[in-house]
Amino acid sequence: MATYDLVVIGTGPGGYVCAVRASQLGMKVAVVEKNATLGGTCLNVGCMPSKALLHASEMFEEAAHSFAKMGVSVSTPKLDLPAMMNFKQQGIDGNVKGVEFLMKKNKIDVLKGTGKILGTGKVEVSADGKSQVVETKNIVIATGSDIARLKGIEIDEKRIVSSTGALSLEKVPQRMLVIGAGVIGLELGSVWRRLGSEVMVVEFLDRILPGMDGEIAKQFQRMLEKQGFAFKLGSKVTGVDASGKTLLAKIEPAAGGAAETIEADVVLVCIGRVPFTDGLGLKEAGVALDNRGRVQIDAHFSTNVKGVYAIGDVVAGPMLAHKAEDEGVAVAEILAGQSGHVNYDVIPGVVYTTPEVSSVGKTEEELKQAGQAYTVGKFPFTANGRSKVNQTTDGFVKILADAKTDRVLGVHIVGREAGEMIHEAVVLMEFGGSAEDLARSCHAHPTRSEAVKEAALAVGKRAIHM
Ligand code: FAD
Ligand code: NAI
């Protein structure tokens, strides 16, 4: 029987990163994966394929609408959807091979099959009707999440799709109805709108992107509407009739009231994700779950069963790849006797649309609710030189700082490349920096990042270009 220091169940960004770090620290490690390919949701049906399609569809739209004004004359671009899907697949394959390479390089055994915990120190791996039991000092559960379903709406991944189906549609739907104005709805809605779909988004709440700063979300919604998105906020889809050629979605006000019927060719259900623990044997092994079905852990990622830990989407916290990765590193370091930790106050979030939205730390709503005195500095891209010459002036940077100490508490950006720009705020906040620190740091000219510096200057009411 094979014996290990650590067996990680699941090879998403949480699991494979944990395995690599543990191997770096001298542990004998195996990963267990039930899917044919490594990399989990993120590499196969999540972050990476969605970003490939976002990039390709953005290029398509730019070629159609932005090239001419820059004096680049091209004939009307034509969509070759199979080729675009092939571009996406090449990206997936490249990244999946990268994880396979990392497993080999770090001498990590890859056990293909479904992992089941038989109690402290024992994992059963089953595939094709055969099973083996491996012994290990420690187990890390990194089994991720699955799509949340809506009662009465059957996902067939052809016409009524989850994100997985929406990443592989065979033709551009004329009308796409998106249920949920969260990250997936706005990213994948953007992909198909750019390729020609009329996109309507139905959202239960009275705003898009719950959890993001309200002012940013409001402005972002206007920008999306200008692009052609239609929103139906404060509404819920109560059923979809798929019996005819056209899908008929029944929509009601969230608070109750008269229903209306909306026609669509594809319905995308993206109302969140749920932890995935099927087949893991948690009940038999006595591993406790919380009231939302997530594996319950303490501050050191330990479950209630000795030697069993959990990280990533399957535990509490934002369902983000980089959060899973950082937890993977932290738990490996803890197992090696070090003091690995994750600073949950400084985890960035990015929506990879055009423009992008990014955020780190507290929103204005959260500060108000906590009764925290704060100052705000804002700077629009319309006043940023680089954005002006590129004619990409939508959006602004918003910095929230402690009114007494000037410590930066939150940074929120809507604008092109916001997902790259947020990281100087992440580093600043990790070091407990102030708006003054940011304002006094030299920023290269001409860059869009100068808007971040100007927003920091605006906290002290001394922005230069405004
Ligand atoms: P996962 O990546 O879900 O991996 C879990 C793995 O465990 C899977 O491979 C699964 O097959 C395996 N597994 C499960 N049970 C068993 C078992 N019993 N035995 C063996 N193997 C098992 N996040 C971002 O940060 N940025 C993004 O841009 C982004 N885009 C996304 C786009 C989409 C469309 C979706 C759906 C998600 C996106 N996410 C994004 C979220 C991100 O994918 C997840 O947060 C991340 O994958 C979580 O990593 P994980 O390691 O916890 O789990
Ligand atoms: P989400 O939680 O971001 O958004 C779901 C939305 O659906 C919310 O606005 C919610 O209010 C709404 N909703 C819930 N029930 C509804 C109903 N019955 N009718 C109408 N609206 C309803 O979830 P989403 O977009 O499915 O994404 C899942 C996870 O994947 C997220 O937690 C996110 O962190 C992760 N992800 C991250 C990305 C990124 O970092 N760029 C990209 C895509 C996904």
Side-chain angles (χ1 to χ4, degrees):
M1 191 189 291
T3 60
Y4 294 96
D5 294 312
L6 172 64
V7 169
V8 182
I9 307 179
T11 62
Y16 87 75
V17 168
C18 175
V20 169
R21 185 72 189 114
S23 170
Q24 285 175 346
L25 291 163
M27 287 176 237
K28 186 170 160 45
V29 186
V31 290
V32 185
E33 176 55 61
K34 69 176 173 54
N35 279 359
T37 52
L38 306 183
T41 304
C42 180
L43 275 66
N44 293 283
V45 289
C47 328
M48 304 319 290
S50 60
K51 265 76 253 177
L53 289 184
L54 278 158
H55 177 64
S57 61
E58 188 183 8
M59 294 299 107
F60 178 71
E61 188 163 71
E62 293 257 296
H65 300 297
S66 301
F67 280 14
K69 73 175 179 195
M70 292 185 272
V72 181
S73 171
V74 290
S75 50
T76 309
K78 279 201 207 86
L79 176 65
D80 180 347
L81 190 58
M84 196 178 277
M85 289 297 168
N86 190 34
F87 170 77
K88 176 201 74 175
Q89 194 56 45
Q90 283 172 4
I92 296 176
D93 294 345
N95 278 310
V96 164
K97 281 207 187 87
V99 176
E100 283 167 12
F101 163 79
L102 289 175
M103 296 299 102
K104 275 203 194 94
K105 181 181 169 219
N106 289 285
K107 300 188 173 51
I108 295 163
D109 287 346
V110 175
L111 311 176
K112 285 281 173 78
T114 301
K116 182 175 174 187
I117 298 171
L118 302 180
T120 300
K122 275 200 173 65
V123 176
E124 181 187 70
V125 182
S126 311
D128 306 325
K130 288 189 204 128
S131 66
Q132 59 166 321
V133 175
V134 291
E135 285 198 341
T136 175
K137 286 189 192 134
N138 294 296
I139 299 166
V140 169
I141 301 169
T143 50
S145 61
D146 191 11
I147 47 176
R149 285 155 211 278
L150 258 178
K151 227 172 137 194
I153 300 179
E154 197 68 38
I155 291 173
D156 60 18
E157 297 296 15
K158 292 275 175 221
R159 294 203 300 161
I160 304 182
V161 297
S162 71
S163 51
T164 303
L167 288 166
S168 296
L169 295 178
E170 282 167 12
K171 63 176 198 191
V172 179
Q174 196 194 325
R175 296 154 301 181
M176 176 179 256
L177 182 75
V178 176
I179 311 180
V183 202
I184 291 181
L186 301 183
E187 287 189 355
L188 296 183
S190 288
V191 166
W192 292 105
R193 186 205 55 72
R194 291 167 187 167
L195 300 181
S197 298
E198 289 162 29
V199 177
M200 170 177 280
V201 185
V202 179
E203 165 60 47
F204 188 78
L205 301 174
D206 60 2
R207 57 163 292 173
I208 68 167
L209 289 179
M212 285 270 185
D213 187 88
E215 186 184 11
I216 293 269
K218 212 173 200 165
Q219 287 231 13
F220 180 50
Q221 185 185 331
R222 278 195 214 123
M223 294 170 198
L224 291 175
E225 282 166 343
K226 264 210 269 174
Q227 294 171 11
F229 267 87
F231 288 97
K232 232 175 210 315
L233 303 182
S235 303
K236 59 184 177 191
V237 177
T238 52
V240 179
D241 178 354
S243 58
K245 210 165 158 252
T246 296
L247 299 171
L248 301 174
K250 211 164 143 200
I251 301 177
E252 280 175 23
E260 62 176 315
T261 301
I262 300 235
E263 295 188 358
D265 303 296
V266 166
V267 170
L268 165 59
V269 181
C270 44
I271 54 159
R273 294 181 60 85
V274 289
F276 184 82
T277 54
D278 292 1
L280 257 182
L282 296 187
K283 201 164 176 207
E284 300 90 314
V287 175
L289 302 180
D290 69 13
N291 57 358
R292 291 169 63 182
R294 302 173 296 201
V295 177
Q296 206 159 10
I297 50 168
D298 65 14
H300 297 98
F301 309 99
S302 179
T303 69
N304 60 319
V305 174
K306 195 170 174 289
V308 181
Y309 299 80
I311 57 168
D313 279 11
V314 80
V315 302
M319 287 182 165
L320 295 172
H322 40 285
K323 176 258 194 188
E325 289 184 40
D326 284 7
E327 289 182 339
V329 168
V331 75
E333 291 178 349
I334 289 169
L335 292 176
Q338 300 183 354
S339 42
H341 89 293
V342 176
N343 181 358
Y344 290 97
D345 290 335
V346 191
I347 294 181
V350 177
V351 189
Y352 297 87
T353 41
T354 304
E356 291 182 341
V357 182
S358 63
S359 165
V360 61
K362 301 280 185 243
T363 63
E364 199 164 351
E365 291 76 17
E366 284 171 335
L367 293 179
K368 273 191 187 132
Q369 204 182 4
Q372 162 89 50
Y374 61 92
T375 42
V376 187
K378 282 190 250 180
F379 192 81
F381 287 108
T382 45
N384 169 265
R386 184 69 180 278
S387 306
K388 269 187 182 160
V389 293
N390 288 356
Q391 297 189 17
T392 51
T393 51
D394 273 352
F396 66 104
V397 180
K398 174 173 178 178
I399 297 182
L400 302 163
D402 187 306
K404 256 205 210 119
T405 65
D406 194 40
R407 186 181 174 139
V408 173
L409 303 172
V411 177
H412 309 278
I413 310 175
V414 54
R416 291 239 179 182
E417 289 136 41
E420 299 294 338
M421 279 186 271
I422 197 69
H423 293 100
E424 64 170 307
V426 172
V427 175
L428 180 92
M429 289 173 67
E430 190 64 46
F431 284 87
S434 64
E436 188 66 19
D437 290 327
L438 193 47
R440 289 197 178 274
S441 303
C442 190
H443 283 61
H445 178 74
T447 56
R448 291 174 63 78
S449 295
E450 285 173 287
V452 179
K453 176 184 169 134
E454 290 269 15
L457 282 164
V459 171
K461 303 204 176 2
R462 56 178 214 276
I464 300 289
H465 292 90
M466 212 174 48

